[in-house]
């Protein structure tokens, strides 16, 4: 179940109007949130900072747009694009 980004927010971001893709979009949100949480460490919640939520939406959008591509031609997620949003929330490790 999504923690920081609602299905309605993601569908609005993706411009998906009907409910036929709800299960897929929910799965993509869960995967993107897991990736952002693994990269940053903080627990995601509805009140998560906007940069983290935007990184999630960007990852969801990328996965949604490239879902039909084969593994040989699929583009990597735009981590370079979301990295500046994630960097301030990363836990420093020595």
């Amino acid at each position: 179940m999504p923690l920081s980004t609602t299905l309605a927010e993601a569908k609005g971001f993706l411009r998906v109007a009907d409910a036929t893709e709800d299960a897929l979009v929910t799965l993509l949100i869960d995967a993107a949130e897991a990736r952002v949480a693994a990269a940053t460490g903080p627990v995601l919640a509805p009140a998560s900072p906007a940069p983290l939520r935007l990184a999630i939406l960007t990852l969801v959008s990328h996965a949604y747009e490239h879902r039909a591509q084969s593994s040989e031609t699929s583009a990597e997620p735009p981590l370079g694009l979301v990295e500046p949003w994630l960097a301030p929330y990363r836990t420093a490790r020595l």
Side-chain angles (χ1 to χ4, degrees), residues 43-68:
V43 175
L44 297 172
S48 291
L52 295 181
R53 295 174 59 234
L54 189 53
I56 291 164
L57 288 171
T58 301
L59 292 172
V60 167
S61 175
H62 179 81
Y64 185 81
E65 290 173 7
H66 298 343
R67 69 191 179 281

Side-chain angles (χ1 to χ4, degrees), residues 2 4-19 21-23 25-26 29 33 53 57 60:
S4 69
T5 304
T6 67
L7 176 61
E9 287 174 318
K11 286 175 65 175
F13 192 79
L14 297 171
R15 298 182 182 167
V16 173
D18 59 31
E21 302 276 354
D22 284 4
V25 174
T26 300
I29 294 167
E33 286 186 344
R53 295 174 59 234
L57 288 171
V60 167

